[in-house]
Amino acid sequence: MVDGTKTGLAGLLLVVDDDTQIQLLLKLFFESKGLRVILAGSGEEGLQLLGRKPVLVLLDVNMPGINGVETLKKIKTTHKSLPVVMISGGGDEVLARAALKAGAYDYISKPFDLEYLETVVLTKVLLGIEKD
Amino acid sequence: MPRASTRKTAAPADDERMTEFAWGVAHQFGNLVQVILGFAQLIRTQRPNDPELMDEIAEIITASGRAKGLVEQLLILSHRHAVSPAAVDVRQLVQRLKGALADLAGSEVTVELAGGDGPLMAAADAAGMERILLQMASCARCAMPKGGTLTIETAPADGGRVRLTVRDTGEGFDAEAAGRLFEPFYLKKRFGYGDGLDLAVAKELMALQEGTIDAETAPGRGTAYHLTLPGASGRGRQ
């Protein structure tokens, strides 16, 4: 696993997910990698936190209120280059593919391995490795 | 031998409610598995020097992996799974999987490939076909607890289609079982097969690829599963 504290990774991650336990899991995991994490429980709340200038957004697809895809579209109108990785609940693949068309960097399906998430987020996005 | 495909007993509305139910369960259960698996992995990274704890965490992660597999099976059965058919050389695919098929079928079972060596192109979802064949190898292990032979034969079929026949030399099934092989949990309840969803998932994945699956079986004569896929001649290799 990549150790952000050793690689000098820095930056602010915005996690948008309505499940508070998954919020906590992602916060603890990425903080252990040396990153800072802010949390939002809805698309609306996530949009309000864009002013904190995150370097990456992890965005759940299926949420009450405006869903992940709609949230993504709103993000892209004002922050076109901000990478957004969609977190798809099982069976949301159709929505997740729509998200890719709307400009998402990638999507991962729950339940996922943290190592895989790390590969997507840390090595590809934050370390600037080209996407496959 | 009797030839049986899935027995349809549920009305369309019932079927729709069941698939919605399966999706809802899988979705909620998937989130819970995510939390359990994720925190177990987090502890593993934070406490690597505690071997006793690592052993216990490994058990949680293994169980989470099984639960994750169950979620995937339920999602496929909920009709929300997407496939990406492309031109696939099914003979090459089967050849590549032979070792994994042998592992899953167990040391008492011999795996044989038949039907020829040249390319045989089908319009198929490679990942979906891998899943189907690996699951059928697990079923073959259950069908042949005392050992036997699992043969996978590939051949052109009528109408430009492609056929795979997965044949075991197990005890076979009686007429009642033959009519219910593809029902979720039937084989689990009656014969103790795996998670009981493998053949139901195989049927769903075949349907998504515009394919078919049916079984030919009789007591004492083993079981042959016939899978057909659209052909892909002229589409080029995968």
Side-chain angles (χ1 to χ4, degrees):
Chain A
M1 295 179 112
V2 176
D3 185 344
T5 60
K6 292 178 181 171
T7 59
L9 279 174
L12 185 69
L13 258 61
L14 170 58
V15 172
V16 186
D17 196 310
D18 61 313
D19 188 311
T20 54
Q21 285 190 294
I22 289 177
Q23 283 184 4
L24 178 62
L25 171 68
L26 295 176
K27 179 178 169 64
L28 292 174
F29 178 66
F30 284 112
E31 284 181 347
S32 76
K33 302 297 170 188
L35 295 157
R36 291 175 294 125
V37 179
I38 51 175
L39 303 173
S42 67
E44 292 90 339
E45 193 180 346
L47 292 169
Q48 289 171 6
L49 291 175
L50 291 176
R52 301 273 298 273
K53 296 190 166 68
V55 297
L56 180 104
V57 180
L58 290 172
L59 179 58
D60 189 25
V61 170
N62 197 334
M63 292 183 295
I66 58 172
N67 69 28
V69 178
E70 293 306 311
T71 304
L72 168 71
K73 289 176 180 173
K74 289 179 186 292
I75 291 173
K76 287 296 173 180
T77 59
T78 55
H79 297 71
K80 192 174 180 184
S81 61
L82 176 61
V84 179
V85 174
M86 307 301 291
I87 300 177
S88 157
D92 293 334
E93 274 71 15
V94 174
L95 271 180
R97 290 180 186 205
L100 288 179
K101 281 188 182 172
Y105 178 85
D106 204 348
Y107 79 88
I108 57 173
S109 296
K110 288 188 274 193
F112 51 80
D113 288 326
L114 290 179
E115 287 90 344
Y116 180 71
L117 177 63
E118 181 183 21
T119 300
V120 172
V121 172
L122 294 185
T123 61
K124 286 188 178 175
V125 182
L126 297 182
L127 291 175
I129 295 172
E130 286 293 317
K131 189 180 177 187
D132 294 334
Chain B
M1 283 200 279
R3 234 175 138 91
S5 56
T6 313
R7 192 176 69 169
K8 283 255 178 197
T9 54
D14 288 340
D15 186 54
E16 194 174 322
R17 277 195 288 272
M18 281 307 295
T19 55
E20 281 300 305
F21 178 74
W23 178 78
V25 170
H27 198 83
Q28 297 298 328
F29 189 52
N31 277 343
L32 294 174
V33 173
Q34 180 64 73
V35 172
I36 296 167
L37 175 64
F39 276 100
Q41 290 176 330
L42 196 58
I43 293 168
R44 187 175 61 182
T45 63
Q46 292 173 342
R47 302 276 296 276
N49 298 321
D50 186 337
E52 191 172 327
L53 180 63
M54 287 303 98
D55 288 345
E56 292 162 1
I57 290 295
E59 294 294 334
I60 296 174
I61 291 174
T62 298
S64 299
R66 289 171 57 196
K68 182 179 171 184
L70 184 59
V71 169
E72 290 170 358
Q73 302 269 61
L74 287 171
L75 287 172
I76 291 170
L77 292 175
S78 70
H79 302 328
R80 302 210 183 198
H81 185 72
V83 297
S84 304
V88 175
D89 181 349
V90 294
R91 285 187 175 135
Q92 187 184 61
L93 182 140
V94 170
Q95 182 67 46
R96 179 165 54 79
L97 289 178
K98 188 178 180 186
L101 293 169
D103 287 344
L104 287 167
S107 58
E108 302 298 316
V109 173
T110 301
V111 175
E112 294 182 351
L113 306 185
D117 297 323
L120 183 60
M121 307 304 293
D125 179 80
M129 289 309 297
E130 286 182 17
R131 175 185 280 268
I132 290 168
L133 291 169
L134 293 172
Q135 290 183 171
M136 297 193 81
S138 294
C139 288
R141 183 180 197 144
C142 297
M144 298 181 284
K146 297 173 184 171
T149 302
L150 171 66
T151 305
I152 301 171
E153 183 178 358
T154 50
D158 293 342
R161 293 175 70 84
V162 167
R163 186 179 70 246
L164 294 89
T165 300
V166 180
R167 188 186 309 275
D168 68 58
T169 57
E171 296 180 0
F173 296 101
D174 60 26
E176 185 202 342
R180 302 184 64 182
L181 291 178
F182 297 95
E183 288 182 17
F185 302 115
Y186 177 76
L187 287 176
K188 172 72 173 176
K189 282 187 285 189
R190 186 164 170 197
F191 301 102
Y193 275 40
D195 64 13
L197 294 175
D198 289 342
L199 291 180
V201 166
K203 178 178 177 287
E204 175 69 17
L205 287 174
M206 290 304 295
L208 285 170
Q209 300 173 87
E210 299 178 24
T212 62
I213 181 170
D214 59 72
E216 186 178 1
T217 186
R221 298 182 65 180
T223 304
Y225 297 94
H226 301 288
L227 294 75
T228 70
L229 288 163
S233 56
R235 290 198 188 191
R237 298 189 71 141
Q238 185 184 23

